[in-house]
Amino acid sequence: MADDKETTDFEQAASGRRHGIASEVSSFVWRNKRWWMIPMILVLSLLGLVILLGSTGVGAFIYPLF
């Protein structure tokens, strides 16, 4: 069993700073050169924004645009 003063890689990663979903996805795209994913991410984000705003009072002003 490891000494208490020594930390494993897992413990170091767990104690590190946590990132949000957007920063995780953007760092994945950047590191792995998955540039083809950018249009899909943008379309899904815009669709999510329309759904979010459609369920609020702003939806009445968005629907005439379509």
Side-chain angles (χ1 to χ4, degrees), residues 10-32:
F10 179 76
E11 290 171 339
Q12 289 176 354
S15 65
R17 184 172 179 264
R18 297 190 61 178
H19 301 285
I21 292 174
S23 65
E24 290 284 337
V25 170
S26 64
S27 66
F28 171 78
V29 169
W30 188 258
R31 276 186 309 218
N32 295 315

Side-chain angles (χ1 to χ4, degrees), residues 23-47:
S23 65
E24 290 284 337
V25 170
S26 64
S27 66
F28 171 78
V29 169
W30 188 258
R31 276 186 309 218
N32 295 315
K33 307 291 190 251
R34 306 282 188 197
W35 307 119
W36 55 270
M37 291 180 73
I38 293 174
M40 289 190 300
I41 293 169
L42 289 175
V43 167
L44 287 173
S45 298
L46 288 174
L47 182 63

Side-chain angles (χ1 to χ4, degrees), residues 1-8 11:
M1 193 165 170
D3 188 23
D4 288 338
K5 293 181 183 181
E6 295 180 15
T7 58
T8 63
E11 290 171 339

